[in-house]
Amino acid sequence: MRFRSRFSHWCLSVCVLAFLLEVSAGSTLLAQAKAKPKAKPEPPVPVPTRRITIDKVDPTIKSQVLTSAAKIDKLIDANYLKTKTKPNDMTSDDQFVRRVYIDITGTIPTYKQTRSFLINTDKEKRTKLIDTLLNDEGYARNLYNYWADILRLRDREVTNNAPGKLYNEWVREHLEHNTPYDRWVSEMLTAEGKYLDNPATGYLLRDSGMPLDSMNNTVRIFLGTQIGCAQCHDHPFDKWKRKEFYEVAAFTFGTSTRRGAGDKRFGGGNVVNKMRDELKKIDDKFDGGGKYNRFLQGNLIEVYDNGAKLALPQDYQYDDAKPKAMVNPKTIFDPQPVISKGDTPRVIFAKWLTSPQNPRFAKTIANRLWKRLFGIGQIEPVDDMKDETVAENPELMDFLTSEMVRLKFDVKEYLRIILNTKAYQREATHAEVQASDDYHFQGPVLRRMTPEQVWDSFITLAVWDPEKYQTEPAKVQGELLDLDLSKATAEEIMKRDIELRATQAGKVRDARNKDYTYKGQLLAYASELPSPMPAGHFLRQFGQSDRESIEASSEEGSVPQVLQMFNGTITHMILHEKSLMYHTVTEAKKPEERINVIFMTILSRRPTEEERKIALDEIAKHDAGGYGNVIWSLVNTREFLFIQ
């Protein structure tokens, strides 16, 4: 390791000077900061929160977990012999603890968590730590960030006048409760009713007005197959015919996402226009425009089946059907669905898609989650399987798929098995591995943390008890917006609008954020920040998706990332005297002890003798500034940003 002594010293001097200038009396920077007492203290502003309950792993099936993990290792070991591959060595405890914290909770461990694990002599400590972390709130936060990228979750809106936070929170709660994956997906595909009453409808609303694109995305996400090219012509690189695309799209084509303002349930006439006329009479600031649209238009957003049939387009160019011909629903894989009396086409499709007999559903999620932990899938790309696609280890892929079915799509227990394998607990492969390479899983591939994991790791370094911060529960907004337009009055809407604006006013926001704000930046875990963040935010600069397309996040390097790491706000805050990092280091008394603390906090390991000597020299030259230089240097290493 090489410390950038001259540059880091200059940079830290600037940082320290900036800190001294910016810290003013009464300003609250981190969770330990305290405001100046007021002569007449005002009553605290109520800050609503939601109850978080994390579903636990099942302790009674531990032996089965280890048996399944051993079976995976047996299949991988056989493949090593077949391919003449030498597996990587097993990880050391410090490598393992850092990796498993990042992979499960999405952040590096704290100094105390690392130290506790390293001094533990229990032979089963790895298995026990895996269970502990799977039972932690961080598990759900990390998995939520993963699915936010796939499902393109946006806080601002899921569709016009429908706040996205309701759907996003619904997704989050199902991950917290560990809802079986097949049931979770089925609920999204079959959801009906008004969005404000049933946020699960948000999945279909995400592509509102684009039924063909919606089906294309559904097949890609949940069946690992891309059929989008067949919207316009027979697929040039796969077997899919244009007619087949329209046949599967016919299952969900007859799904509406909005009621008309003139629907008879509202009593006749255009309810939106009538309500606007009433609002003009009582609100002298109402300009007749969109001021109340989130109430008026938002309460028209509803998912229901309208019975509409899909027809082939007028430019249909193949001999197997005529242009404008009506299309009967048909799935793209056998077995074809079993139709029960009263089932709508959408329900039939959801039952077929999530069935254990569907050859692609269990395989797709099993492969996706394998890639989450190893950095590369058994099948690549994970969302472009074809009939001729062969997994790197077919016997292993079949076993992983069967395990997902055996577990009844319990994602947490599936991950628990993989985490307990020797293969996962081997050292990372540092050689560059492309998705097209024939990789035999000597260990996970070296990979950079996701944007959210990098950010959350900095939060872990800086903030005291960051898990205590919680974004405003979606129900606060949802309950105020939700009303029956057939009964609502202008006075009620105006009153609710005033209440809603009050909940979003500065007082409430400041009361929630005051202990977690530094230089105007909210220091909270990524899952508690708006999704996505604005373009200039650290998360976006490190590759967070704009949520416009599926899995569009990036782990590539860039110049803005370098500038952020060298001299950005996020590196300033971990050196501040009120940060957890500062407190943890200064709690140790001797320079040698402090160096150990710094390395174990940032890299989850003790320094080598060479590193210790370099660090001691830096501290001898620059005293307190030397500690800052060492910290700054370590967070700018590849070792910090990458999952070993």
Side-chain angles (χ1 to χ4, degrees):
M1 183 172 299
R2 295 284 185 266
F3 293 123
R4 304 167 180 86
S5 299
R6 293 183 181 177
F7 186 66
S8 64
H9 174 59
W10 174 82
C11 214
L12 259 295
S13 298
V14 174
C15 293
V16 172
L17 178 59
F19 292 149
L20 293 174
L21 292 174
E22 290 170 8
V23 179
S24 59
S27 64
T28 307
L29 298 174
L30 294 172
Q32 276 204 328
K34 297 180 180 179
K36 289 175 65 177
K38 297 181 180 179
K40 293 182 179 180
E42 298 179 0
V45 177
V47 178
T49 58
R50 69 181 181 89
R51 182 181 178 84
I52 298 175
T53 303
I54 303 296
D55 190 79
K56 311 295 184 182
V57 297
D58 186 350
T60 67
I61 62 171
K62 177 183 173 182
S63 61
Q64 179 58 60
V65 168
L66 298 179
T67 298
S68 293
K71 174 67 172 178
I72 291 173
D73 284 321
K74 184 177 179 180
L75 291 168
I76 292 177
D77 288 347
N79 204 38
Y80 291 154
L81 292 174
K82 179 180 176 182
T83 59
K84 298 180 180 179
T85 299
K86 181 183 178 182
N88 300 340
D89 293 336
M90 299 300 292
T91 54
S92 60
D93 278 350
D94 49 32
Q95 290 171 332
F96 174 79
V97 70
R98 192 173 197 271
R99 177 192 295 174
V100 79
Y101 263 90
I102 295 171
D103 280 343
I104 298 179
T105 68
T107 177
I108 61 173
T110 64
Y111 167 71
K112 289 183 178 179
Q113 289 166 338
T114 296
R115 185 175 182 276
S116 174
F117 182 78
L118 295 183
I119 64 175
N120 189 344
T121 58
D122 188 342
K123 292 181 180 180
E124 296 184 351
K125 67 179 183 178
R126 292 194 178 195
T127 294
K128 290 179 178 179
L129 178 61
I130 289 168
D131 287 358
T132 297
L133 297 181
L134 288 172
N135 292 338
D136 189 84
E137 288 183 20
Y139 164 80
R141 285 195 302 265
N142 192 30
L143 199 57
Y144 172 79
N145 292 332
Y146 172 74
W147 279 107
D149 194 33
I150 296 173
L151 298 177
R152 300 165 294 146
L153 302 184
R154 303 179 301 191
D155 278 1
R156 185 172 54 84
E157 59 182 23
V158 65
T159 189
N160 288 341
N161 298 302
K165 287 189 72 173
L166 290 169
Y167 170 47
N168 298 355
E169 191 171 284
W170 179 88
V171 170
R172 185 194 300 261
E173 288 178 344
H174 276 265
L175 298 176
E176 291 168 353
H177 298 156
N178 195 35
T179 302
Y181 179 72
D182 57 339
R183 195 173 85 205
W184 179 56
V185 174
S186 181
E187 285 184 32
M188 288 191 282
L189 296 177
T190 62
E192 59 184 10
K194 197 167 71 169
Y195 173 64
L196 293 171
D197 295 330
N198 184 9
T201 56
Y203 177 79
L204 294 173
L205 290 172
R206 185 62 183 82
D207 294 309
S208 179
M210 300 182 291
L212 300 185
D213 288 333
S214 179
M215 177 55 73
N216 176 40
N217 290 335
T218 295
V219 171
R220 178 180 172 184
I221 292 170
F222 303 120
L223 297 181
T225 301
Q226 297 192 24
I227 61 173
C229 285
Q231 287 189 48
C232 303
H233 48 73
D234 289 353
H235 201 300
F237 308 114
D238 208 343
K239 68 176 186 178
W240 309 118
K241 305 296 184 183
R242 192 178 188 191
K243 184 182 178 184
E244 289 177 310
F245 178 88
Y246 275 80
E247 286 173 336
V248 72
F251 280 106
T252 55
F253 181 77
T255 304
S256 289
T257 55
R258 185 179 295 269
R259 291 284 178 185
D263 193 289
K264 61 183 181 181
R265 68 175 58 191
F266 302 128
N270 187 308
V271 67
V272 172
N273 289 342
K274 286 195 299 184
M275 200 60 69
R276 282 177 177 163
D277 290 341
E278 293 298 319
L279 286 163
K280 288 177 187 177
K281 297 175 184 177
I282 62 172
D283 183 0
D284 56 6
K285 295 182 180 179
F286 182 54
D287 60 3
K291 181 177 179 181
Y292 295 102
N293 271 356
R294 51 186 175 175
F295 290 95
L296 303 178
Q297 300 290 355
N299 279 282
L300 297 177
I301 298 170
E302 181 179 347
V303 172
Y304 62 96
D305 296 301
N306 60 26
K309 305 295 183 182
L310 179 61
L312 293 172
Q314 62 181 7
D315 68 345
Y316 190 78
Q317 68 272 49
Y318 300 105
D319 296 335
D320 54 358
K322 295 181 179 180
K324 299 183 182 180
M326 303 305 295
V327 178
N328 292 319
K330 183 181 178 182
T331 60
I332 56 176
F333 300 124
D334 288 331
Q336 291 297 309
V338 176
I339 301 175
S340 302
K341 185 177 180 180
D343 281 350
T344 63
R346 191 153 54 98
V347 170
I348 293 169
F349 174 74
K351 285 183 177 180
W352 167 81
L353 182 138
T354 60
S355 168
Q357 283 72 49
N358 188 316
R360 291 282 176 87
F361 182 66
K363 179 179 287 188
T364 297
I365 186 59
N367 189 49
R368 277 188 177 277
L369 295 176
W370 180 270
K371 181 172 183 174
R372 277 203 77 212
L373 296 180
F374 281 88
I376 187 169
Q378 280 286 323
I379 296 172
E380 286 287 348
V382 296
D383 60 359
D384 195 17
M385 296 186 206
K386 300 176 174 63
D387 280 358
E388 63 271 19
T389 297
V390 178
E392 182 277 331
N393 187 335
E395 293 81 8
L396 175 58
M397 189 70 254
D398 288 344
F399 179 70
L400 294 173
T401 303
S402 67
E403 282 293 275
M404 182 62 73
V405 174
R406 180 186 68 80
L407 292 166
K408 297 181 180 179
F409 295 92
D410 187 323
V411 165
K412 183 173 286 192
E413 293 295 347
Y414 177 83
L415 291 172
R416 187 185 184 193
I417 290 170
I418 298 176
L419 290 161
N420 275 284
T421 61
K422 289 191 300 182
Y424 171 77
Q425 296 184 27
R426 294 189 183 280
E427 289 184 354
T429 295
H430 285 233
E432 188 171 351
V433 179
Q434 302 295 335
S436 58
D437 291 344
D438 200 13
Y439 184 67
H440 303 301
F441 298 93
Q442 302 90 290
V445 298
L446 183 72
R447 61 203 191 278
R448 204 204 75 182
M449 288 190 275
T450 66
E452 291 82 6
Q453 289 169 347
V454 179
W455 171 264
D456 285 358
S457 293
F458 271 109
I459 297 301
T460 297
L461 290 173
V463 181
W464 296 69
D465 299 324
E467 64 278 357
K468 289 185 178 179
Y469 180 86
Q470 187 184 112
T471 188
E472 181 183 83
K475 68 178 182 180
V476 173
Q477 185 180 20
E479 289 175 353
L480 285 171
L481 289 173
D482 189 12
L483 51 81
D484 185 347
L485 288 179
S486 67
K487 300 177 181 178
T489 64
E491 288 79 8
E492 180 186 4
I493 292 175
M494 185 174 177
K495 179 183 176 183
R496 288 191 181 212
D497 183 66
I498 293 170
E499 288 182 39
L500 185 57
R501 292 176 190 277
T503 66
Q504 299 170 344
K507 273 190 176 182
V508 179
R509 183 178 62 250
D510 292 346
R512 183 181 295 277
N513 298 350
K514 68 182 179 67
D515 290 338
Y516 295 86
T517 302
Y518 171 63
K519 289 189 176 181
Q521 185 143 235
L522 180 58
L523 303 183
Y525 284 133
S527 61
E528 304 300 324
L529 298 176
S531 178
M533 289 299 286
H537 189 271
F538 179 98
L539 279 164
R540 292 293 299 280
Q541 289 182 336
F542 268 76
Q544 185 188 57
S545 165
D546 61 4
R547 306 290 192 248
E548 292 302 320
S549 54
I550 297 170
E551 289 190 281
S553 67
S554 170
E555 293 170 15
E556 297 296 320
S558 67
V559 172
Q561 291 175 19
V562 174
L563 296 176
Q564 276 278 7
M565 296 296 286
F566 274 1
N567 201 27
T569 303
I570 199 145
T571 51
H572 286 217
M573 69 183 183
I574 65 173
L575 299 173
H576 193 274
E577 62 181 4
K578 295 187 184 297
S579 75
L580 178 61
M581 180 85 220
Y582 183 97
H583 172 81
T584 305
V585 173
T586 55
E587 210 174 29
K589 302 305 179 186
K590 297 179 180 179
E592 292 84 353
E593 294 174 358
R594 289 182 174 183
I595 292 168
N596 279 338
V597 169
I598 291 171
F599 271 79
M600 288 178 65
T601 302
I602 298 173
L603 302 181
S604 303
R605 66 171 176 84
R606 293 179 176 85
T608 64
E609 286 306 312
E610 181 184 8
E611 291 166 342
R612 188 188 310 278
K613 182 178 183 304
I614 294 172
L616 284 171
D617 288 346
E618 187 71 16
I619 293 163
K621 289 178 183 177
H622 304 292
D623 195 29
Y627 291 108
N629 290 354
V630 174
I631 292 169
W632 181 89
S633 297
L634 292 185
V635 297
N636 276 283
T637 60
R638 193 168 185 253
E639 186 175 351
F640 173 73
L641 288 175
F642 281 71
I643 305 173
Q644 298 285 342

